[in-house]
Amino acid sequence: MPVFEAKDIYKKFDKTEVLKGVSFSIEEGEVLSIIGSSGSGKTTLLRCVNFLETPDLGQFYLRGNLLFDASDKKGISEKEIRQKRLHFGMVFQSFNLFPQYTAFDNICLAPMLLAKSRPDYKKNKAIIKDEIEHNAESLLKKVGLSDKMDNYPCQLSGGQQQRVAIARALALKPEILCFDEPTSALDPEITVEVLAVMKELAAEKMTMLVVTHEMGFAREVSDKVIFMDDGVIAESGTAEEIFGNPQTKRLREFLSVMK
């Protein structure tokens, strides 16, 4: 059974159709990369998965259970959206760290806010706080930034900021970690740092959904690859199938440009 499944997802903005019936699934521990030209619908699809956008039509399933159905006319409250979003960690192009907080505090902030809703928070506040802080320290070590925990974002390089952003996304223990072109704002030499962390997570069997223009990463690390074109999945398969034997002219053209 897939850990996550999207069925017939449609999304339009005003009269512009951006997603036109997109369906895919991802298994536990897989890396699924989404590639395609700018404007093909990649980021919109990822934002729908993470409930930053609401699909107009379609369903999402998590471990076989219905997570979202656009045909449900009752709608979905902000509280429900926040709860559903916890299943997905999100790493953005532009880091989105809070500039007034240190790297350590950026990682602790969301878990602490979430912990305050726990019925046992007041009774076990000190224990919960220690657990969250210990986890933040472990995550900073994991991304190679133990020595930067007291630094503010302005004191970090772009690659360091993105690694903090990855640690922050992991802090809530998501079932799927989503990346939206995580290296697009970085210089090539710094890109290597971020990709190394992502490759390590892949080796640890973290389930990952990655929108990327890094064809090397998609080819070497992905279990499956989706090629999007004009709001639909034009081709999908293993990395070997997509890169070794592309079936469509559009994919061949795209790969030739990305070399």
Side-chain angles (χ1 to χ4, degrees):
M1 179 187 296
V3 64
F4 178 78
E5 188 173 8
K7 289 188 176 182
D8 296 320
I9 302 302
Y10 286 79
K11 179 65 180 178
K12 67 179 180 179
F13 297 98
D14 295 325
K15 294 183 179 180
T16 303
E17 282 192 299
V18 180
L19 300 177
K20 306 171 184 178
V22 175
S23 299
F24 72 92
S25 63
I26 182 168
E27 301 289 335
E28 186 97 41
E30 277 190 339
V31 176
L32 172 58
S33 290
I34 305 175
I35 63 174
S37 302
S38 296
S40 61
K42 307 184 305 296
T43 291
T44 298
L45 176 60
L46 195 68
R47 288 176 64 85
C48 285
V49 167
N50 197 47
F51 294 98
L52 293 170
E53 301 287 353
T54 304
D56 300 317
L57 293 171
Q59 300 84 36
F60 292 140
Y61 292 84
L62 188 72
R63 301 189 185 281
N65 297 311
L66 183 64
L67 183 67
F68 169 82
D69 187 347
S71 67
D72 185 354
K73 300 306 180 184
K74 293 186 298 183
I76 182 170
S77 69
E78 283 298 321
K79 182 178 180 180
E80 289 173 318
I81 288 174
R82 287 195 298 270
Q83 195 65 35
K84 294 177 188 296
R85 196 174 286 152
L86 293 175
H87 297 291
F88 309 91
M90 185 73 172
V91 180
F92 298 91
Q93 295 180 30
S94 53
F95 325 135
N96 287 9
L97 299 178
F98 294 104
Q100 70 272 34
Y101 295 123
T102 64
F104 178 77
D105 290 336
N106 262 280
I107 296 169
C108 290
L109 181 60
M112 283 300 300
L113 291 172
L114 188 63
K116 291 178 180 179
S117 64
R118 287 172 49 171
D120 65 335
Y121 177 72
K122 288 185 178 180
K123 181 180 178 181
N124 299 314
K125 181 177 179 179
I127 296 173
I128 293 171
K129 185 172 182 289
D130 284 346
E131 289 175 349
I132 290 171
E133 291 181 346
H134 176 73
N135 188 48
E137 290 174 5
S138 297
L139 288 170
L140 280 168
K141 182 178 180 180
K142 187 181 190 69
V143 299
L145 293 172
S146 293
D147 60 335
K148 302 294 184 182
M149 68 166 53
D150 295 324
N151 287 52
Y152 289 88
C154 65
Q155 298 171 317
L156 301 173
S157 70
Q160 289 169 339
Q161 289 186 62
Q162 193 61 297
R163 283 186 280 159
V164 172
I166 293 172
R168 180 180 63 178
L170 289 168
L172 291 174
K173 300 178 175 61
E175 294 180 77
I176 302 172
L177 189 57
C178 302
F179 294 84
D180 183 14
E181 297 187 17
T183 60
S184 63
L186 303 176
D187 293 331
E189 61 272 19
I190 296 176
T191 292
V192 175
E193 302 173 5
V194 175
L195 292 178
V197 172
M198 294 173 66
K199 289 175 181 179
E200 182 180 337
L201 291 172
E204 294 172 359
K205 295 299 181 181
M206 179 75 204
T207 308
M208 296 161 60
L209 184 58
V210 185
V211 169
T212 184
H213 280 131
E214 293 289 339
M215 294 301 105
F217 175 89
R219 181 193 296 266
E220 296 165 19
V221 182
S222 304
D223 297 289
K224 293 191 297 192
V225 178
I226 285 171
F227 170 61
M228 291 195 66
D229 183 41
D230 194 26
V232 301
I233 295 176
E235 198 164 338
S236 64
T238 65
E240 183 178 357
E241 289 168 340
I242 292 296
F243 292 99
N245 187 28
Q247 296 296 304
T248 63
K249 179 182 177 183
R250 291 287 289 171
L251 178 55
R252 291 193 293 270
E253 291 173 344
F254 172 77
L255 292 177
S256 69
V257 170
M258 297 304 292
K259 284 182 180 179

